[in-house]
Amino acid sequence: MDGMEEQVELVGKAFVEHYYHLFDTNRQSLSSLYQPSSMLTFEGQNIQGVQDIAGKLTQLPFDQCQHVISTIDSQPSSFPGGIIVFVSGNLQLPGEEHQLRFSQMFHLIPTIQGSFYVQNDIFRLNYG
Amino acid sequence: MDGMEEQVELVGKAFVEHYYHLFDTNRQSLSSLYQPSSMLTFEGQNIQGVQDIAGKLTQLPFDQCQHVISTIDSQPSSFPGGIIVFVSGNLQLPGEEHQLRFSQMFHLIPTIQGSFYVQNDIFRLNYG
């Protein structure tokens, strides 16, 4: 593993930890990670822009949840400084005995402030 | 759904159909879809370049398989003309009673010939 590859993996892991921590503890603050150009496809539904994406995420039919991450794969993208992050894991909903498997990908684009925003976000539950 | 969104979905679907058809019938020809800069992360293993990617895909521990696609989600990427495609489905191996669930994402970049190559490819089996 070279230095570039290692840095991409570190950014991917840090982002994933941050993202799902916000999702599970303070979901409305996820809006800080998106920009007007951002796209979310959630279970096949296309949503664009900070407001609509935040609206979708905060109006899901469960108030509390816990993401348990299984795998994180990160690659540099063709966009300069961009990173593609691919996640698999389990979603625990309150009162549900069984966890739901999910997969999600993020395309992270660097901001001029030196952090990243989510340009592309695709989420799918994996039905058995 | 606007025209741009529709076109992105059509390209994503056509690519997915083409990719898994080649995978299931003539796996070595998949090398035509990658370029020297292409990256594959297969079950956590990072591989780069046409030759190494083709080598990995043709040396998987099964000769025959059949992909059955469940969902295809496509979005335009930040790279001009690029498309991100997210796939979920089942993988049937010969002699195996149960299918394996998988998720895979591709970042497609347009070529000067008017087609696309795979710049980023991340594959994961979804263990139940």
Side-chain angles (χ1 to χ4, degrees), chain A residues 7-81:
Chain A
Q7 194 178 341
V8 165
E9 290 207 1
L10 287 173
V11 170
K13 279 181 187 168
F15 170 80
V16 165
E17 193 172 314
H18 182 55
Y19 182 90
Y20 294 107
H21 177 72
L22 290 184
F23 201 115
D24 295 349
T25 60
N26 186 11
R27 208 183 304 168
Q28 66 212 29
S29 66
L30 286 174
S31 62
S32 64
L33 299 177
Y34 296 91
Q35 293 209 353
S37 64
S38 300
M39 285 172 272
L40 166 66
T41 303
F42 189 92
E43 285 285 280
Q45 182 188 0
N46 291 323
I47 300 151
Q48 184 155 5
V50 180
Q51 202 165 356
D52 287 353
I53 291 173
K56 177 69 185 178
L57 296 177
T58 54
Q59 288 161 33
L60 293 173
F62 48 86
D63 283 337
Q64 293 195 313
C65 63
Q66 190 183 355
H67 290 81
V68 180
I69 304 308
S70 302
T71 63
I72 305 170
D73 297 310
S74 302
Q75 290 182 357
S77 84
S78 301
F79 191 89

Side-chain angles (χ1 to χ4, degrees), chain B residues 8-69:
Chain B
V8 164
E9 290 207 1
L10 287 173
V11 170
K13 279 181 185 165
F15 170 79
V16 165
E17 194 172 314
H18 182 55
Y19 182 90
Y20 293 108
H21 177 71
L22 290 184
F23 201 115
D24 295 350
T25 60
N26 185 11
R27 208 184 303 169
Q28 66 212 28
S29 65
L30 285 173
S31 62
S32 64
L33 299 177
Y34 296 91
Q35 292 209 354
S37 64
S38 300
M39 285 172 273
L40 165 66
T41 303
F42 188 93
E43 286 284 280
Q45 182 188 0
N46 292 322
I47 301 150
Q48 184 155 5
V50 180
Q51 201 165 357
D52 288 353
I53 291 172
K56 176 70 184 178
L57 296 177
T58 54
Q59 288 160 33
L60 293 173
F62 48 86
D63 283 336
Q64 294 196 312
C65 63
Q66 191 184 355
H67 290 82
V68 181
I69 304 308

Side-chain angles (χ1 to χ4, degrees), chain B residues 63-82:
Chain B
D63 283 336
Q64 294 196 312
C65 63
Q66 191 184 355
H67 290 82
V68 181
I69 304 308
S70 302
T71 64
I72 304 171
D73 297 311
S74 303
Q75 291 181 357
S77 85
S78 301
F79 191 89

Side-chain angles (χ1 to χ4, degrees), chain A residues 1 5 9 39-41 43-48 71-79 84-88 90 101-105 107 109 117 119-128, chain B residues 1 5 9 39-41 43-48 71-79 84-88 90 101-105 107 109 117 119-128:
Chain A
M1 183 148 62
E5 202 173 304
E9 290 207 1
M39 285 172 272
L40 166 66
T41 303
E43 285 285 280
Q45 182 188 0
N46 291 323
I47 300 151
Q48 184 155 5
T71 63
I72 305 170
D73 297 310
S74 302
Q75 290 182 357
S77 84
S78 301
F79 191 89
I84 288 175
V85 186
F86 187 94
V87 182
S88 74
N90 291 292
R101 295 282 304 162
F102 74 92
S103 300
Q104 189 162 15
M105 69 82 48
H107 188 191
I109 303 291
Y117 73 92
Q119 172 57 27
N120 302 93
D121 178 352
I122 303 179
F123 174 92
R124 278 282 178 186
L125 291 173
N126 300 127
Y127 299 102
Chain B
M1 181 149 62
E5 203 172 303
E9 290 207 1
M39 285 172 273
L40 165 66
T41 303
E43 286 284 280
Q45 182 188 0
N46 292 322
I47 301 150
Q48 184 155 5
T71 64
I72 304 171
D73 297 311
S74 303
Q75 291 181 357
S77 85
S78 301
F79 191 89
I84 288 174
V85 186
F86 187 94
V87 183
S88 73
N90 292 292
R101 295 282 305 163
F102 75 92
S103 300
Q104 188 162 15
M105 69 82 48
H107 188 191
I109 302 291
Y117 73 92
Q119 172 58 25
N120 303 92
D121 178 352
I122 303 179
F123 175 91
R124 277 283 178 184
L125 290 173
N126 301 127
Y127 298 102

